[in-house]
Amino acid sequence: MAGDSNREEVAVSKPLEPPPPAGMRKVEEGRRRCLGNSFKQANCSLSARERRVVCVTSGNSYLGSLLVKKLLARGYLVRVTLQNQEDFEDMKELIKGEEMKLLESVVVAKMGNLDSLCEAFRGCHAIFHTSSFIDPHGVSGYTERMAFLETEGAKNVIEACARSAYVKRCVFTSSLLASIWYGNNSDRVVDEGCWSDEELCRENKLWLALGKTTAEKAAWGKSRELKVNLVTVCPGLLMAPSFPNAHTETSLPYLKGGQVMLKRGILATEDSEKVADIHIHVYEAMDYGASGRYLCFDRVVRRLDEAIQLENGLKMQGLLTGAREEVLPLEEADEIPSRLSNSKVAKLVSRASQRLSCKPLPNP
C-alpha cells in the first residue's frame, strides 16, 4: 500500500489482472465457477459472499493454501498474508495460476508487527489464522523460541482483528496437541474441555504442544478482553491428503512424544482437505451460534499395522513403535482403546451439510 511501510503488497504474477471490486464481480463468473467440480457440495448462493473479504494468514503453508482454494471455490474474496516476500514463491507452488488470479491481494504482514497486521486485516469480515510459524521445507523444526513467538503472534492477530477487521471474527487454527498432554487422570476421554499441561510440555520438550497450548490460551484471553468472536479448530496430525500419507513438514514436530500418544490411544489424524472444510463450516456456523473449541480428527491410530504405515510414509521406522513390547504389547490385530472425542465437530458438520444446498443462480 502506497505510503505505508508496514504492509508490503506482493504482485500476483503479472500480467494477471487483479479481481474487480467485490460489488462489481460478475454474476456469470460466479456461475461458471459454481458449476465446477469443487462446487458439487458447496452452497452456491454467492451474492452475499461476494461482498465478504476474508483474510488467511500464512497462505504459503499446506493447510493455509488448501483453505484459500476452498474459500475461493465458495465465492469469497480472499486476501492472503505472508511472513516474508520470499514466501510468495512457495505459495505459487501450492496455489496455481487461475486461483492466483482470483485472490483479492497478497500482502506481507509479519506476526510480530501489529501495525502490519492491522493494515492487512482492514475491512475483512473474518480472519482465518492458520499458523504463525511454518517451515515449508521442514528444515528448522519447532523450538521453544518458536513456541514463544507463536504465542505473541496469536495476541497480535486477535488485537489486529479487534482494531481493523470490519467484523471482529476469527477462526483460529490450534492443534489437538493443545488438549492431550496432561499428567494426572490420563485415562480421561479428551474433549474440548481438556487442556495440555504447560509444565509437562516444557519438562518433556514438547515444544509444538507447548506453542499451540499457550498460543490458543492467549488468543482466548485476548478475544475476551477485546470482544472478538473467536472459534478455534484443533486438528490432529495432518494427512496429505489422506491416511497413511502424513504431511512430512508438520508431522515431525507433532510426533514428538508419539510413542506415548500411541500407547494412550490419543494419536489421531485428519485429512487436510477435511480440516480446511471444517474451518469454513465453523466460520459459516458462527452465524448460527457456533462457538468455543472444536477437536478435529477422523481416525485414531489404534493398531500396530497403522502405526507402521505412518512410519513407512515418513521413512522413519521406529518413530512410533520403537521397542514394540513397551509401546504396543499387542498382537497386530488388537486395538488400543481410544481416549478421544470429536462429537462436537461431528454435530457441526452434520448440521452444515443439512444447510448446504446448490440453488440455481438467476440469469444475468
Side-chain angles (χ1 to χ4, degrees), residues 4 26 69 81 84 98 108 113 119 138 148 183 189 191 201 204 206 226 233-234 269 279 298 303 326-327 354 358:
D4 194 303
K26 297 179 182 179
K69 290 186 279 190
T81 73
N84 303 289
E98 283 302 310
V108 173
N113 188 320
E119 282 298 318
F148 170 77
V189 173
D191 60 15
C201 291
N204 293 277
L206 303 169
L226 300 176
V233 178
C234 306
T269 69
H279 278 71
D298 66 355
R303 297 199 315 270
E326 297 178 11
V327 180
Q354 292 171 14
C358 191

Side-chain angles (χ1 to χ4, degrees), residues 84 134 221 229 278 311 331 337 349:
N84 303 289
I134 61 165
N229 191 0
I278 286 169
E311 290 177 340
E331 298 298 326
V349 171

Side-chain angles (χ1 to χ4, degrees), residues 22 53 55 104 122 136 140 148 159-161 163 167 172 175 201 205 226 233 268 319 322 336 341:
V53 179
C55 184
E104 189 265 351
R122 196 170 305 283
S140 63
F148 170 77
E159 183 158 348
C161 182
R163 287 191 189 184
V167 177
F172 186 101
S175 172
C201 291
K205 299 183 179 181
L226 300 176
V233 178
L319 177 66
I336 300 168
S341 170

Side-chain angles (χ1 to χ4, degrees), residues 132-145:
S132 293
F133 294 92
I134 61 165
D135 179 14
H137 306 292
V139 176
S140 63
Y142 197 97
T143 64
E144 184 177 12
R145 173 66 177 168

Side-chain angles (χ1 to χ4, degrees), residues 207-263:
W207 302 130
L208 183 60
L210 178 65
K212 293 303 181 183
T213 303
T214 55
E216 188 186 348
K217 284 184 175 180
W220 280 114
K222 205 73 173 174
S223 68
R224 285 189 288 268
E225 174 190 342
L226 300 176
K227 296 180 171 55
V228 171
N229 191 0
L230 175 68
V231 172
T232 61
V233 178
C234 306
L237 179 65
L238 291 181
M239 298 291 103
S242 58
F243 188 90
N245 303 303
H247 184 246
T248 306
E249 289 79 10
T250 57
S251 293
L252 300 183
Y254 188 103
L255 289 173
K256 182 73 181 292
Q259 292 185 9
V260 177
M261 284 190 270
L262 181 61
K263 186 176 181 179

